[in-house]
Amino acid sequence: MDLFNAVHEQMDAVRLPLVAVTVTAARRPNTPLVAILHWHGFRRASPLVLPGIDIPPRSVPGSAIQLTHAWHCVEAVDEALLDAAWQLGAWDLERVERRGCNVVGASAGEALACRQAFGDYEGASADEALIDGAPDRAELMQLAADAGYLRWLFRPVKGGVWRQLDEPDDTLGPDGGREPPCPVLPIPPTPRQRPARGRTVYRLGAVRRILLP
């Protein structure tokens, strides 16, 4: 599973800085993953030019990618995400585990979080919120509502908007990225017999010097 090259191809095509990359998987081995690239940029809401009328710009929609590589355990997905987050200079990688929202006692907030994890944004039309390159996204979201899901998040520095902040991180190269391999190892997820509501944060960045005010 080469998420790093998949993200790089999209960055070369879109040519906008990234805010974040999220990847979501239904809690079933070997099912496709949905990666969403969240861009920082704006476009005109309409190509029409009307005298005296200022048409406000809208945010550029995210890009959804379907990753169909086989995976037998969550740690295998973690390894691919750690590799991508490491090379793209992210400070950390977050993994959250959530139960399905089609269970007794699940709240409306849980259902909303599940939809958003798969790029289904309530109140926004499809072309405004997402450029959909994940043909099985709706089916995977339904599977996640029944079986639970995992969602990963990282914020790239290389090719991302975060490079402008110039935050201290002594592991980054001049371009905001890092050379592989990633030294951080995957951590097993919450056992299935427990409620799936875990959160794991992999720390990738580091400051090895004293920062003076």
Side-chain angles (χ1 to χ4, degrees):
M1 184 187 305
D2 194 349
L3 176 65
F4 173 74
N5 282 330
V7 172
H8 235 287
E9 289 177 2
Q10 290 292 315
M11 291 167 63
D12 288 342
V14 177
R15 298 187 179 278
L16 285 173
L18 276 167
V19 176
V21 176
T22 59
V23 176
T24 307
R27 199 157 184 153
R28 292 284 176 83
N30 297 323
T31 53
L33 282 69
V34 176
I36 300 178
L37 280 60
H38 306 266
W39 305 103
H40 177 70
F42 298 89
R43 65 177 183 179
R44 283 178 53 84
S46 171
L48 295 176
V49 177
L50 303 176
I53 298 179
D54 183 19
I55 301 177
R58 292 181 180 174
S59 298
V60 172
S63 301
I65 309 170
Q66 184 164 309
L67 305 172
T68 57
H69 304 278
W71 56 281
H72 62 285
C73 64
V74 173
E75 292 92 316
V77 183
D78 273 16
E79 188 174 0
L81 267 292
L82 284 167
D83 173 73
W86 175 261
Q87 293 192 63
L88 291 168
W91 176 257
D92 56 29
L93 169 69
E94 177 193 68
R95 181 189 73 204
V96 295
E97 306 161 53
R98 294 290 180 263
R99 66 176 181 173
C101 57
N102 286 347
V103 297
V104 176
S107 67
E110 290 179 86
L112 177 62
C114 181
R115 292 200 304 270
Q116 291 180 340
F118 285 90
D120 184 0
Y121 305 111
E122 187 176 11
S125 62
D127 60 339
E128 290 179 352
L130 203 66
I131 299 173
D132 198 352
D136 299 323
R137 191 165 55 90
E139 291 78 4
L140 292 169
M141 182 173 62
Q142 185 58 53
L143 177 60
D146 295 331
Y149 64 97
L150 299 102
R151 191 226 65 200
W152 294 260
L153 165 71
F154 66 89
R155 299 173 178 85
V157 173
K158 181 178 180 179
V161 68
W162 304 105
R163 191 175 182 185
Q164 301 175 12
L165 299 180
D166 195 25
E167 291 290 333
D169 186 342
D170 295 333
T171 67
L172 299 181
D175 64 349
R178 305 183 184 96
E179 291 296 321
C182 177
V184 181
L185 298 178
I187 299 172
T190 304
R192 288 300 302 271
Q193 64 267 24
R194 299 180 187 173
R197 295 185 182 181
R199 179 176 181 266
T200 302
V201 177
Y202 295 100
R203 188 71 66 199
L204 305 178
V207 178
R208 305 189 183 102
R209 53 201 159 94
I210 297 176
L211 301 176
L212 299 177

